Structure formats: C-alpha cells, structure tokens
Amino acid sequence: MKKDNLILIGFMGTGKTTVGKLITERLKWSFVDTDERIVEHTGMTIPSIFKQKGEAWFRDQESIVLEEILKGHAQVVSTGGGAVLRERNRDVMLKGGLVVALTADVDTIVKRVSEDQNRPLLHGDIRRKVEQLMAARKVAYDFAHVKLNTANYTPDELADHIIQYIGQDGKLH
Ligand code: S3P
C-alpha cells in the first residue's frame, strides 16, 4: 500500500500548483510545494539560489526537502519540474505516494510561464528554452503511476479526475 500522499510532477507550467491546491481543499490534506520549502529552508529566492549557488546546489536542496516532506502523509506535494531528474528522487516519490504526471504542449507552457520571472532556467528566449528543456526531459516524467494531459481540461476537471484515484475518503485506490 502506497502512503497517502499525492505527488504532482511535470514540466514547469503544467499546472501542478493550481491543480494541487484544488485537490488539497477537497481532500482536506495539506499542500506542500518543494520550491517553497527550499525558499523557507535557505532563506533565499529560487533565482538567487541559481545565481549564487548554482543548479547542483539547488538540486541537493530539492532532494533533501523531498525526502523530508515524504516522511509525512495526507499531503498534496507539488514538485519542481526538475525534481524527477535524479533516480533517488524518483524512488523516494514512487515509495512516498501516488505519483501523477501533468503534461502540456509547448504553446500552453510558454503561455503559462511567460509572465513569471521566478524560473531561472527559462530566462531569455522562453520558447527556445522550453523547447530545449522539454526535448532533454522527453521521458523524464514517464515513471509516474498516472499521466494526464492538461491541455483540454480546466483545473477543476483535472482535480476531480485525480481525486478518483485517491477516493473521497483519502485512501489510495
Ligand atoms: C525547475 C522548475 C521550477 C523550479 C526551478 C527549476 C526545473 O519549478 O524548481 O526553477 O528544473 O524544471 P516549477 O516546475 O514549479 O516551475
């Protein structure tokens, strides 16, 4: 039996936070975001971590908070888009709860991330960066228990759909 956590994975701009918060309200679980936890732990913003400490240091922090979060239960966990890159993180997620991958096409992602300056990996030519990173991560989200394309659904519809895998009683099916 998996632990009663829901772990949302997916590329930046696939709606993990929006959908995650809706599910949290309905299940009365807690919402946890790995990026937010890193900011709390380090007292630094995500862009300043990348700038001052570098991506590898950020990834170390990400692994630490992920492991710590998944010791708990009854949580909806929204993960950073790159949290799937380390095998150890993938193992921790698969053992820590139900892993649901959200996907979207390049146009949708570019539209969603364009107004946000908080993603250092997309600074500059956003479309080109999204295309390059998506190509590099083509199969990175495939390990999930469930994979959902967000393109044709509202956040509410997605939340309803994902809750069916968990059950209104908060027990994983
Ligand atoms: C990243 C995604 C971001 C954040 C960081 C790196 C990535 O999170 O962790 O900027 O490597 O895809 P979101 O997916 O929540 O934007």
Side-chain angles (χ1 to χ4, degrees):
M1 172 79 174
K2 284 188 284 293
K3 291 184 78 172
D4 57 344
N5 289 310
L6 171 70
I7 301 143
L8 295 173
I9 64 166
F11 199 83
M12 294 170 264
T14 46
K16 292 165 291 187
T17 303
T18 310
V19 174
K21 286 189 171 163
L22 290 172
I23 297 170
T24 306
E25 280 167 26
R26 296 187 203 176
L27 290 177
K28 311 264 183 282
W29 283 6
S30 356
F31 178 78
V32 193
D33 180 291
T34 56
D35 277 352
E36 274 176 22
R37 197 53 80 81
I38 293 168
V39 170
E40 278 166 29
H41 266 207
T42 61
M44 298 169 80
T45 64
I46 302 295
S48 61
I49 292 176
F50 271 76
K51 202 163 158 216
Q52 293 172 31
K53 304 278 195 178
E55 181 171 349
W57 194 84
F58 171 79
R59 297 292 171 211
D60 289 341
Q61 303 308 308
E62 187 167 57
S63 297
I64 292 167
V65 300
L66 192 62
E67 214 160 317
E68 177 195 284
I69 291 165
L70 290 174
K71 285 180 185 150
H73 68 108
Q75 309 167 98
V76 178
V77 185
S78 174
T79 60
V84 298
L85 297 174
R86 288 188 176 176
E87 189 179 0
R88 166 100 188 124
N89 292 356
R90 296 195 292 271
D91 284 348
V92 166
M93 290 192 239
L94 286 171
K95 289 189 187 114
L98 181 75
V99 182
V100 175
L102 301 182
T103 66
D105 53 77
V106 174
D107 285 346
T108 309
I109 287 176
V110 169
K111 212 158 88 194
R112 288 184 189 153
V113 299
S114 285
E115 280 131 48
D116 196 344
Q117 292 302 306
N118 217 25
R119 293 183 172 101
L121 294 180
L122 301 181
H123 283 171
D125 183 342
I126 294 185
R127 174 169 290 271
R128 229 190 78 225
K129 296 267 172 76
V130 168
E131 280 170 355
Q132 281 173 351
L133 263 185
M134 274 182 92
R137 296 181 182 174
K138 210 170 169 352
V139 296
Y141 305 100
D142 289 353
F143 75 99
H145 297 114
V146 180
K147 211 169 161 187
L148 295 174
N149 188 337
T150 62
N152 300 315
Y153 301 98
T154 65
D156 268 313
E157 285 168 341
L158 286 163
D160 283 343
H161 189 72
I162 293 169
I163 281 174
Q164 287 174 20
Y165 289 96
I166 296 166
Q168 301 290 346
D169 54 0
K171 300 259 182 283
L172 283 184
H173 291 188

